[in-house]
């Protein structure tokens, strides 16, 4: 009952703000998309309302009615080309009906992404959007993280997150959220700074408690880059050490035994590691068989059995476990080239922003 009341109150306030501007409409949409109230609340009423679709349609109309001028540059052009190529792949893929359904969700994300680049016009706008994303995705995660750290330290948390997926995707998603929350903490003062720091500890522990080796490596990579990029390395080192001292000692031997299998020694590979190498080889086989359009947008799992020469050694209908090999298998070599160009352009833009801020 409490969860239902909470969602109703947030939706009422969100729609009240959304009527005022496209920015607030975008924040409402992002909260629904990241938080997924229909899955969090213990009531079926929200799942029947299709909240995300309604909020998304309203965002598009509110943006155009506000007179916001859409600016399209080469980065937006690459996204639209990638979207067009994925549509071609979905239409001509091995499982067109399923691929097209997934493509529709992907198209919504691309449209909203382009709208956000035009709606967000000031640093304050960007900060508001970052806060909405951080709280929407991190609220429940941090709550679970802190609850487990206090009540069941070292325990494993295999709960999925509707927006992310299974434990591996949750771990990597939480690792991606950490720098966002850290940036909000670094640019806040007083109680808000402490609140974001508290949130981040819960998010980090939520990632580690999945026992995902990819999540463990992701947290390590985030910490290393944070230290490398920080102009105040002593303060950053203290923050990393404090977080590690709070979290790592409670992890049991079972956790460290699993992390110890992260190795380049082929004699120590476990089935999970061997399977990933096989999945990537299958992805290459798919791309070589259908080099221009791949097996279809989000078609890897459905096409896996057809290309698996081990005849089910690693079970059936498996995921690729790699964005790079996934794009290669599902969209072919042109799709991979577009994906690389998008990533390169994003890194280039981030570098320019970082230099401008120095």
């Amino acid at each position: 009952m409490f969860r239902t009341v909470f969602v109703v109150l947030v939706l009422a306030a969100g729609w009240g703000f959304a009527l005022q501007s496209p920015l607030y409409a975008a924040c409402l949409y992002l909260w629904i998309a990241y938080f997924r109230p229909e899955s969090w609340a213990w009531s079926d009423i929200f799942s029947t309302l299709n909240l995300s679709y309604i909020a998304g349609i309203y965002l598009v109309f509110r943006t155009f009615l506000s007179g916001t001028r859409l600016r399209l540059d080469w980065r937006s052009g690459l996204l639209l080309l990638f979207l067009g190529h994925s549509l071609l792949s979905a239409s001509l893929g091995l499982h067109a009906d399923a691929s097209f359904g997934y493509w529709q969700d992907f198209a919504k994300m691309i449209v909203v992404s382009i709208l956000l680049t035009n709606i967000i016009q000031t640093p304050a706008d960007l900060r508001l959007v970052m806060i909405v994303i951080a709280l929407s995705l991190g609220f429940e995660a941090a709550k679970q993280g802190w609850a487990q750290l206090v009540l069941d330290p070292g325990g494993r948390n295999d709960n999925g997150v509707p927006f992310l997926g299974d434990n591996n995707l949750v771990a990597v998603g939480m690792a991606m959220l950490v720098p966002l929350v850290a940036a909000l903490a670094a640019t806040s003062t007083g109680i808000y700074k402490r609140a974001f720091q508290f949130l981040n500890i819960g998010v980090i522990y939520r990632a580690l408690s999945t026992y995902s080796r990819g999540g463990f490596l992701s947290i390590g990579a985030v910490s290393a880059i944070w230290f490398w990029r920080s102009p105040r390395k002593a303060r950053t080192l203290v923050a990393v050490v404090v977080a590690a001292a709070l979290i790592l000692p409670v992890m049991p031997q079972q956790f460290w035994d699993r992390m110890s299998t992260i190795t380049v020694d082929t004699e120590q590979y476990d089935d999970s590691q061997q399977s990933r190498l096989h999945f990537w080889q299958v992805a290459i086989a798919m791309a070589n068989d259908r080099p221009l359009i791949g097996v279809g947008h989000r078609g890897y799992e459905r096409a896996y059995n057809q290309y698996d020469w081990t005849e089910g050694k690693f079970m059936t209908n498996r995921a690729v476990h790699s964005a790079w090999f996934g794009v290669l298998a599902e969209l072919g070599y042109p799709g991979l080239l577009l994906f690389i160009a998008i990533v390169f352009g994003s890194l280039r833009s981030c570098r320019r922003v970082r230099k401008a801020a120095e």
Side-chain angles (χ1 to χ4, degrees), residues 1-215:
M1 182 63 181
F2 173 78
R3 292 192 175 198
T4 301
V5 172
F6 176 81
V7 170
V8 169
L9 291 176
V10 174
L11 285 174
W15 277 108
F17 281 103
L19 296 173
Q20 300 178 27
S21 72
L23 178 65
Y24 292 140
C27 288
L28 173 64
Y29 176 83
L30 291 172
W31 178 77
I32 294 173
Y34 282 95
F35 189 75
R36 300 292 175 90
E38 69 277 8
S39 300
W40 185 77
W42 294 327
S43 174
D44 295 333
I45 186 173
F46 301 111
S47 59
T48 63
L49 295 177
N50 207 346
L51 296 172
S52 181
Y53 181 77
I54 296 173
I57 292 295
Y58 175 75
L59 170 61
V60 172
F61 279 101
R62 187 67 180 84
T63 301
F64 284 103
L65 291 176
S66 69
T68 301
R69 183 178 178 182
L70 297 182
R71 305 181 305 276
L72 296 178
D73 54 18
W74 64 272
R75 288 163 295 191
S76 302
L78 282 175
L79 287 177
L80 292 175
L81 280 175
F82 190 71
L83 179 63
H85 183 73
S86 66
L87 174 60
L88 180 65
S89 173
S91 302
L92 302 178
L94 298 180
H95 303 275
D97 291 341
S99 291
F100 187 70
Y102 285 120
W103 181 86
Q104 289 178 304
D105 293 334
F106 180 61
K108 296 173 188 176
M109 290 187 285
I110 296 296
V111 170
V112 171
S113 297
I114 292 176
L115 288 179
L116 285 175
T117 62
N118 290 272
I119 292 171
I120 299 173
Q121 299 180 354
T122 67
D125 294 345
L126 177 60
R127 182 177 177 79
L128 176 61
V129 169
M130 290 173 61
I131 290 174
V132 170
I133 293 175
L135 294 181
S136 300
L137 192 55
F139 173 78
E140 177 64 21
K143 187 198 77 174
Q144 289 188 29
W146 272 108
Q148 194 159 11
L149 182 60
V150 174
L151 302 176
D152 184 25
R156 182 166 178 167
N157 188 339
D158 285 325
N159 293 330
V161 173
F163 179 77
L164 297 173
D166 64 13
N167 66 318
N168 291 301
L169 295 173
V170 169
V172 175
M174 293 298 103
M176 295 172 65
L177 184 61
V178 166
L180 182 65
V181 179
L184 290 170
T187 53
S188 301
T189 59
I191 189 174
Y192 297 106
K193 185 181 189 71
R194 301 290 176 257
F196 284 123
Q197 291 172 338
F198 181 84
L199 181 74
N200 228 4
I201 295 294
V203 168
I204 293 171
Y205 190 79
R206 179 69 174 91
L208 295 177
S209 65
T210 62
Y211 281 48
S212 167
R213 288 164 299 189

Side-chain angles (χ1 to χ4, degrees), residues 203-278:
V203 168
I204 293 171
Y205 190 79
R206 179 69 174 91
L208 295 177
S209 65
T210 62
Y211 281 48
S212 167
R213 288 164 299 189
F216 182 78
L217 292 174
S218 298
I219 291 293
V222 167
S223 300
I225 294 176
W226 185 21
F227 176 77
W228 178 37
R229 294 293 189 190
S230 175
R232 300 177 178 178
K233 288 184 169 49
R235 180 181 297 182
T236 301
L237 181 61
V238 170
V240 172
V241 169
V242 169
L246 180 64
I247 294 174
L248 296 183
V250 306
M251 306 308 293
Q253 188 60 40
Q254 180 185 1
F255 173 84
W256 296 112
D257 289 343
R258 181 166 175 77
M259 296 306 112
S260 67
T261 62
I262 302 174
T263 174
V264 295
D265 185 354
T266 55
E267 295 182 357
Q268 298 181 29
Y269 278 157
D270 62 9
D271 289 342
S272 178
Q273 292 166 314
Q274 293 180 37
S275 67
R276 278 159 175 74
L277 293 176
H278 174 68

